[in-house]
Amino acid sequence: MIKTPVNPIQQATNEYYLTRQNEMESNVRSYPRKLPLAIAKAQGCWVTDVEGNDYLDCLAGAGTLALGHNHPDVIQAIQDVLASGLPLHTLDLTTPLKDAFTEELLSFFPKDQYRLQFCGPSGADGTEAAVKLAKTYTGRGNVIAFSGGYHGMTHGSLSMTGNLGAKNAVQNLMAGVQFMPYPHEYRCPLGLGGEAGIDALTYYFENFIEDVESGVVKPAAVILEAIQGEGGVVPAPVKWLQKIREVTKKHGIVLILDEVQAGFCRSGKMFAFEHAGIEPDVVVMSKAVGGSLPLAVLAIKKEFDAWQPAGHTGTFRGNQMAMATGYASLKVMKEQNLAKNAQERGDFLQSELKTLAEQYPCIGNVRGKGLMIGIEIVDERQAQDRIGAYPADGVLAAEIQKACFKNKLLLERGGRGGNVVRILCPLIITQAECEEMIKRFSQSIKDALNATRG
């Protein structure tokens, strides 16, 4: 029997593996450039590299590992599938496991109102499918997306993503995408700030859709995140999101909520859109839905299920192992009320970080919901803008991330110019681990400031 090489080579170092990766893998790799380690094992909120160093993981697979690494129920689900004789690959053929997973996932939506569509295993494919469905249902072609949004890196999903870095090198992306401003509590796109900014953006969206001289024909869909993730952890104001739901429903526009990162208890509710009390027409799910394994699923309101058979396919839409681990994860989330834990731990972290901001004014803003938190790093030595925001300091944010790594804390950045340090802890994180995270982060800010500002 062939043995898979999962154990590190005796006496190998992080540098050994990183050098080999540099030689064998494409330049497209990203995380090893910021987090230069080779992981040997992981458990819960901790990962251990090949040199035996333990890191507190507040990245968690960009939110995929809702239950942390190697949760016992997830491992048991994998073992049960392997022992059962169930095929690992089924296209979209039916299995008892798929039936149980479908029923469990639908239980988190209003009863008898939604159907599920299994897509290819990435969130990007989910957003591609959602937009194709909206165009099929409405017979229209345009899509409204929002500045700062992130919906994937495939051709269509990238066209609906706000960040220009990846788009500049790729010409002729999907046509018909109209971007609109997204509310931001620290960097209001209208330069108003506060409730005035939210009210103006709320009015602007409604007026834009209803203005017969807007210059843009009625779209097939509006796609957005209730909490922008890669855009810098920016929660949508409740009344703004409610108005978008009202207007799209009035005008027959399909409302797509991208819950790929914010979904599954991360925001303190099962889905981030629930904070606004709305019901989307289509919900895009990936990351945590597969219980750490690749899976993407749409929840579609029944009246919008306009597909013909095979209207959107994907070879790996029948990933049985991911349905097993997803089923186990959903059960744990419900039985252990992980939404509540995310809210309580998130409230503690935000409180501590805001206290830290009083000591370090380079922290311009702390925001988020639950265990989806953004820390906006600014250059407070420069002049404030008209609403009191300091210029973004992506250089310092990168140095903070580097210092966090040295202090054995794994974090990612996002936002404009990469100036927002992001926290995506596993939902199972304990109070003691949150306190340890704050301790390490505080030291890292101090170290980074010493390195960059003397």
Side-chain angles (χ1 to χ4, degrees):
M1 181 179 293
I2 297 173
K3 187 174 182 180
T4 304
V6 295
N7 295 318
I9 297 173
Q10 188 174 11
Q11 296 182 334
T13 63
N14 289 319
E15 186 60 31
Y16 169 82
Y17 287 105
L18 291 167
T19 299
R20 286 173 56 81
Q21 185 179 42
N22 185 57
E23 294 170 350
M24 296 188 291
E25 193 175 350
S26 164
N27 286 330
V28 78
R29 67 193 184 284
S30 61
Y31 284 108
R33 301 179 190 279
K34 296 175 284 188
L35 305 173
L37 79 165
I39 299 174
K41 59 182 180 179
Q43 185 64 49
C45 296
W46 298 86
V47 299
T48 304
D49 69 14
V50 294
E51 298 174 10
N53 299 303
D54 293 324
Y55 297 79
L56 181 55
D57 186 3
C58 291
L59 172 59
T64 300
L65 300 167
L67 304 188
H69 296 274
N70 294 322
H71 189 280
D73 287 39
V74 170
I75 298 302
Q76 186 62 54
I78 293 172
Q79 293 173 339
D80 289 346
V81 170
L82 294 177
S84 71
L86 186 72
L88 301 182
H89 182 280
T90 63
L91 297 170
D92 63 352
L93 294 168
T94 300
T95 69
L97 172 58
K98 180 179 181 179
D99 182 81
F101 174 74
T102 300
E103 182 179 40
E104 184 66 24
L105 183 53
L106 282 174
S107 73
F108 294 97
F109 292 89
K111 186 175 176 61
D112 298 326
Q113 292 189 33
Y114 288 83
R115 290 175 173 170
L116 298 188
Q117 176 187 348
F118 292 88
C119 304
S122 73
D125 187 66
T127 60
E128 297 270 6
V131 169
K132 282 175 59 179
L133 176 60
K135 292 181 177 182
T136 300
Y137 176 82
T138 64
R140 300 191 294 268
N142 286 0
V143 178
I144 289 179
F146 291 88
S147 299
Y150 181 87
H151 302 292
M153 296 291 279
T154 53
H155 203 257
S157 62
L158 180 59
S159 70
M160 301 180 292
T161 291
N163 188 289
L164 296 178
K167 300 172 82 167
N168 287 332
V170 183
Q171 298 302 307
N172 298 322
L173 291 171
M174 182 178 73
V177 180
Q178 171 71 40
F179 279 87
M180 297 190 71
Y182 188 100
H184 194 302
E185 69 176 61
Y186 189 70
R187 300 190 184 280
C188 175
L190 300 183
L192 297 173
E195 290 299 312
I198 296 170
D199 289 342
L201 288 165
T202 302
Y203 170 80
Y204 178 65
F205 179 82
E206 182 175 27
N207 184 70
F208 183 85
I209 295 296
E210 298 187 344
D211 181 5
V212 296
E213 294 285 344
S214 70
V216 177
V217 298
K218 183 188 293 186
V222 169
I223 185 169
L224 59 85
E225 302 159 275
I227 306 174
Q228 290 189 340
E230 304 297 325
V233 191
V234 186
V238 167
K239 61 183 175 182
W240 179 80
L241 194 49
Q242 289 173 340
K243 177 58 70 173
I244 286 180
R245 172 67 288 189
E246 176 189 322
V247 172
T248 52
K249 190 171 185 178
K250 176 182 176 181
H251 293 279
I253 301 166
V254 179
L255 179 59
I256 303 168
L257 261 292
D258 182 339
E259 291 278 335
V260 169
Q261 189 167 104
F264 299 96
C265 301
R266 179 151 299 280
S267 72
K269 291 186 179 291
M270 189 62 184
F271 298 106
F273 64 77
E274 293 181 38
H275 290 279
I278 66 169
E279 291 183 8
D281 301 319
V282 180
V283 180
V284 184
M285 300 168 281
S286 188
K287 292 190 185 291
V289 75
S292 77
L293 296 182
L295 190 66
V297 188
L298 299 186
I300 306 166
K301 276 206 166 182
K302 289 184 177 181
E303 60 264 37
F304 294 93
D305 187 13
W307 289 121
Q308 293 297 313
H312 187 86
T313 64
T315 301
F316 295 101
R317 64 194 186 278
N319 187 343
Q320 296 299 293
M321 194 79 81
M323 292 181 194
T325 52
Y327 178 82
S329 293
L330 292 174
K331 285 289 190 181
V332 171
M333 289 176 192
K334 183 186 293 183
E335 293 171 4
Q336 297 185 10
N337 198 359
L338 290 187
K340 180 181 179 182
N341 189 65
Q343 189 63 61
E344 291 176 350
R345 300 287 82 78
D347 287 346
F348 168 79
L349 288 173
Q350 283 211 51
S351 176
E352 292 295 305
L353 289 166
K354 288 176 181 178
T355 298
L356 203 59
E358 296 174 3
Q359 180 180 355
Y360 296 105
C362 63
I363 299 177
N365 187 239
V366 176
R367 57 180 178 265
K369 291 183 182 295
L371 287 173
M372 192 170 181
I373 300 171
I375 307 159
E376 179 125 2
I377 305 301
V378 302
D379 188 348
E380 79 287 358
R381 302 167 301 178
Q382 305 298 320
Q384 295 171 293
D385 66 14
R386 59 183 292 169
I387 58 172
Y390 288 105
D393 194 338
V395 172
L396 178 57
E399 195 65 33
I400 291 172
Q401 182 185 35
K402 182 179 178 181
C404 284
F405 180 76
K406 291 180 179 179
N407 289 315
K408 308 299 186 292
L409 176 62
L410 304 182
L411 294 168
E412 177 56 313
R413 294 179 292 122
R416 272 74 171 173
N419 77 306
V420 179
V421 178
R422 303 171 58 212
I423 297 174
L424 289 167
C425 308
L427 306 182
I428 59 165
I429 193 167
T430 65
Q431 179 65 20
E433 288 169 332
C434 285
E435 291 170 3
E436 183 63 25
M437 179 266 160
I438 292 295
K439 178 182 176 182
R440 297 186 186 199
F441 186 71
S442 176
Q443 182 62 51
S444 298
I445 292 180
K446 182 179 179 181
D447 294 346
L449 286 170
N450 288 337
T452 57
R453 298 185 184 177

